[in-house]
């Protein structure tokens, strides 16, 4: 039996490399996995082909789900979200704006009872709200709303959360390498013993070895699995478009109370409001464009919630891809579950040393990391339990290590000037700049 915290590879006959685990993908899932493993005393390295959060995670809708959206159609995902909603608010308070949310009934009145029942069955707290009072709270809401139910939705700031996870991973011994693209898997018979990496900064190719390689590459996971000739994991790549209103329309996250569909949600994200989303199946995550009709569609759906959107307009649009997993050959993208899956390719495909974590939500990334890290620990004989549930993530701004920034070559004057903006009218803008500097000093 291995002592937890002991380097695994040092105990094998063949010296595999500097790391116990390679994590492919620097989205929220990969970062959460690297952090969880490092917190258990293992030594992971995360490889990201571009900057962190350059995939789906950096272009999501911004919603820390309460679970209510999935309460009727996707109860397991709903329950997972409800549990994680509480945990993320607790461990990453500095990344969350605990706005609360309203589900507003505009049409589909028959859905109201199903919605309330679904929330109750999945232990999702809800509260009926007086429409008049809610309209005073949220004066931009459509005055024709028929009923309003309050839920515990919140806003989760993507980059803050990512930098906090990355910092926590690094503080616990993980390495994060950006612009490091996995271009092949290293095999010894049926065992994946590492990866071939293209270092895009220095334009060189090298091998990195480890006991276990984890695919956390979101919509690109199929491409990595193909490198091991694994083709039978049925992913339905579903792109979704979001539109940015350059104005904060509400205090709370607003969801239409109806069977989950396109254009249901408006999230107040800082000073903007994000209207979304659409859903259309694509073939290649590296080659797709936003359909031109999405702008008018989101205008139509968004202004049904906030009529004033028609006057303000959109400042920009962006899109990203859900790596959904289709069980039972389901192809209706709103019917495919938002649950996540862990694939142990040894059991499923006779390929050892390779695991994949896929699906899920931004909201459930911590839970996904916990589940796959449990599998890794079991495989490696490491008896360390997950501690991410109860361990608060570091707040990068509070942990700011000016010395570290200095050694990265940032001029003293720049660091000082940014820090001095605390308490000024532009604090938010410049603290965000600081996040980028902190991230660049970490990886
Ligand atoms: C339109 C839309 C809106 C959404 N809104 C919400 C929401 O409001 N709330 C919520 O909880 N969830 C939301 N989701 C779901 C959530 O965004 C995703 O579940 C989550 O971001 C997936 O994260 P990930 O890390 O698995 O994938 P990604 O963020 O895509 O990360 C994968 C990473 O792998 C990297 N990579 C790919 N190939 C390689 C390679 N060969 N070598 C190295 N690196 C590689 C990519 O560059 C990428 O950075 C939304 C999804 C979509 C599509």
């Amino acid at each position: 039996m291995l002592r937890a915290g002991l380097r695994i590879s040092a105990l094998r006959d063949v010296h595999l490399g500097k790391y116990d685990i390679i994590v492919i993908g620097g989205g929220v899932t990969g970062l959460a996995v690297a952090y969880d493993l490092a917190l258990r005393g293992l030594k992971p390295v995360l490889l990201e082909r571009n900057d962190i959060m350059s995939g789906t995670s950096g272009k999501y809708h911004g919603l820390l789900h309460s679970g209510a959206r999935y309460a009727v159609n996707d109860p397991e995902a709903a329950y997972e979200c409800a549990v994680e909603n509480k945990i993320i608010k607790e461990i990453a308070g500095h990344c969350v704006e605990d706005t609360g949310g309203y589900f507003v009934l505009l049409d589909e009145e028959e859905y109201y009872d199903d919605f309330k029942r679904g929330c109750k069955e999945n232990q999702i707290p809800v509260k009926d709200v007086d429409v008049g009072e809610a309209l005073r709270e949220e004066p931009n809401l459509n005055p024709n709303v028929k009923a309003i139910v309050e839920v515990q939705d919140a806003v989760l700031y993507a980059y803050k959360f990512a930098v906090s996870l990355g910092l926590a991973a690094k503080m616990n011994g993980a390495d994060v390498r950006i612009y490091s693209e996995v271009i092949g898997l290293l095999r010894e018979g049926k065992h994946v013993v590492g990866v071939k990496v293209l270092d895009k900064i220095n334009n060189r190719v090298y091998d990195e070895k480890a006991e276990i390689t984890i695919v956390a590459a979101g919509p690109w996971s199929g491409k990595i699995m193909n490198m091991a000739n694994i083709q039978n994991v049925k992913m339905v790549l579903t792109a979704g478009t979001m539109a940015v209103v350059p104005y904060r329309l509400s205090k709370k996250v607003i969801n239409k109370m109806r069977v989950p569909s396109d254009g249901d949600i408006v999230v107040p994200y800082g000073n903007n409001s994000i209207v979304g989303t659409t859903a259309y199946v694509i073939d290649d995550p590296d080659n797709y464009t936003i359909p031109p009709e999405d702008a008018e569609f989101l205008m139509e759906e968004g202004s049904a919630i906030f009529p004033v959107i028609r006057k303000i307009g959109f400042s920009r649009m962006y899109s990203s891809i859900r790596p959904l997993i289709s069980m039972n050959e389901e192809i209706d993208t709103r019917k495919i579950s938002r649950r996540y899956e862990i694939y142990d390719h040894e059991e499923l495909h006779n390929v050892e040393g390779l695991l994949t974590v896929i699906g899920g939500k931004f909201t459930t990334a911590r839970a996904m990391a916990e589940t796959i890290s449990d599998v890794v620990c079991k495989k490696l004989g490491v008896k360390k339990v997950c501690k991410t549930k109860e361990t608060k993530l570091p707040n990068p701004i509070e942990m700011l290590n000016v010395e570290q920034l200095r050694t990265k070559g940032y001029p003293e004057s720049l660091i000082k000037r940014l820090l001095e903006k605390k308490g000024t009218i532009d604090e938010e803008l410049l603290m965000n700049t600081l996040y980028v500097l902190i991230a660049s000093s970490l990886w």
Side-chain angles (χ1 to χ4, degrees):
M1 191 178 66
L2 290 175
R3 235 175 345 110
L6 211 61
R7 296 290 327 290
I8 306 301
S9 51
L11 299 181
R12 278 172 55 98
D13 298 345
V14 188
H15 179 73
L16 278 176
K18 221 171 123 190
Y19 300 102
D20 301 319
I21 297 115
I22 293 166
V23 180
I24 306 174
V28 69
T29 311
L31 286 161
V33 171
Y35 166 50
D36 190 315
L37 292 169
L39 203 56
R40 297 187 203 215
L42 293 164
K43 180 84 185 158
V45 59
L46 181 150
L47 302 170
E48 164 54 50
R49 68 176 188 163
N50 295 319
D51 192 7
I52 60 151
M53 306 294 273
S54 57
T56 301
S57 305
K59 298 175 200 135
Y60 91 128
H61 206 159
L63 173 53
L64 180 66
H65 283 279
S66 60
R69 178 163 171 77
Y70 304 115
V72 178
N73 281 13
D74 199 351
E76 285 171 335
Y79 182 71
E80 274 166 17
C81 286
V83 171
E84 288 304 306
N85 177 285
K86 280 204 199 89
I87 295 174
I88 301 300
K89 284 177 183 170
E90 196 53 46
I91 63 166
H94 62 284
C95 311
V96 175
E97 190 179 345
D98 199 357
T99 55
Y102 281 161
F103 270 69
V104 298
L105 189 70
L106 291 161
D107 40 37
E108 293 189 29
E109 285 176 46
E110 65 287 356
Y111 188 67
Y112 177 87
D113 288 336
D114 291 345
F115 176 74
K116 293 282 295 283
R117 193 178 319 111
C119 288
K120 193 169 175 207
E121 281 170 9
N122 294 293
Q123 297 163 47
I124 297 162
V126 289
K127 195 174 94 190
D128 279 305
V129 177
D130 176 76
V131 171
E133 248 173 55
L135 287 172
R136 277 191 290 282
E137 271 282 298
E138 300 287 6
N140 290 314
L141 263 181
N142 185 339
N144 298 325
V145 56
K146 297 185 177 83
I148 300 185
V149 171
E150 188 170 353
V151 299
Q152 297 188 345
D153 282 344
V155 179
L156 178 54
Y157 288 95
Y159 199 67
K160 278 189 182 175
F161 191 53
V163 176
S164 305
L165 281 173
L167 175 61
K170 289 275 296 194
M171 283 165 62
N172 287 284
D175 276 346
V176 176
R177 285 193 214 140
I178 56 173
Y179 297 103
S180 301
E181 180 164 352
V182 170
I183 53 171
L185 298 176
L186 305 175
R187 299 283 293 260
E188 274 175 20
K190 60 182 187 175
H191 201 119
V192 171
V193 293
V195 298
K196 197 163 268 308
V197 188
L198 169 64
D199 170 351
K200 291 158 110 178
I201 304 281
N202 300 304
N203 201 20
R204 72 183 178 106
V205 172
Y206 64 92
D207 292 350
E208 192 61 69
K209 293 193 169 181
E211 189 86 11
I212 290 181
T213 297
I214 295 178
V215 184
W220 292 270
S221 299
K223 291 195 178 193
I224 311 277
M225 286 186 272
N226 279 348
M227 293 175 191
N229 288 325
I230 296 164
Q231 265 123 18
N232 59 350
V233 174
K234 175 95 179 107
M235 286 172 68
V236 180
L237 299 182
T238 312
T241 307
M242 285 137 292
V244 181
V245 183
Y247 184 77
R248 183 156 176 143
L249 295 157
S250 58
K251 296 186 183 112
K252 292 189 180 347
V253 175
I254 310 294
N255 246 282
K256 285 182 193 155
M257 196 192 302
R258 64 180 185 187
V259 176
S261 180
D262 293 354
D264 282 350
I265 311 174
V266 182
V267 179
Y269 198 82
N271 294 326
N272 295 322
S273 303
I274 319 286
V275 182
T277 72
T278 59
Y280 49 99
V281 176
I282 58 154
D283 291 329
D284 183 355
D286 292 309
N287 188 17
Y288 75 101
T289 48
I290 295 179
E293 62 273 18
D294 278 12
E296 186 41 41
F297 175 80
L298 290 175
M299 180 57 77
E300 187 72 37
E301 295 293 332
S303 58
I305 301 175
F306 296 115
V308 73
I309 292 180
R310 282 240 174 251
K311 282 197 192 135
I312 304 172
F314 296 144
S315 58
R316 63 195 156 87
M317 298 178 64
Y318 62 92
S319 74
S320 57
I321 309 153
R322 305 169 184 89
L324 303 181
I325 303 153
S326 173
M327 311 293 178
N328 316 321
E329 302 297 306
E330 177 62 74
I331 50 160
D332 179 339
T333 56
R334 291 288 173 201
K335 285 194 184 149
I336 300 176
S337 172
R338 267 48 179 174
R339 291 207 67 200
Y340 64 86
E341 287 293 328
I342 308 286
Y343 293 108
D344 178 346
H345 298 295
E346 180 178 354
E347 277 172 16
L348 294 168
H349 306 106
N350 202 22
V351 177
E352 288 179 20
L354 189 70
L355 298 169
T356 295
V357 52
I358 208 167
K361 303 289 298 173
F362 200 114
T363 303
T364 56
R366 191 215 61 82
M368 294 162 73
E370 174 175 350
T371 313
I372 197 160
S373 301
D374 283 348
V375 176
V376 169
C377 284
K378 197 166 169 211
K379 280 187 172 292
L380 297 179
V382 172
K383 290 202 166 21
K384 279 269 183 173
V385 295
C386 175
K387 288 186 290 184
T388 60
K389 257 193 228 98
E390 61 272 358
T391 310
K392 279 199 194 303
L393 285 176
N395 180 344
I397 298 284
E398 277 170 15
M399 301 279 305
L400 182 66
N401 184 337
V402 178
E403 204 46 56
Q404 219 175 5
L405 291 181
R406 253 178 227 133
T407 56
K408 281 278 162 177
Y410 297 118
E412 179 94 29
S413 58
L414 175 64
I415 303 165
K416 270 195 166 152
R417 280 161 65 196
L418 287 173
L419 284 173
E420 277 173 20
K421 294 299 175 286
K422 274 194 174 177
T424 71
I425 189 170
D426 281 321
E427 169 168 331
E428 262 173 41
L429 175 76
L430 290 137
M431 288 305 110
N432 288 344
T433 313
L434 214 44
Y435 262 96
V436 180
L437 289 195
I438 293 166
S440 342
S441 72
L442 288 172
W443 48 76

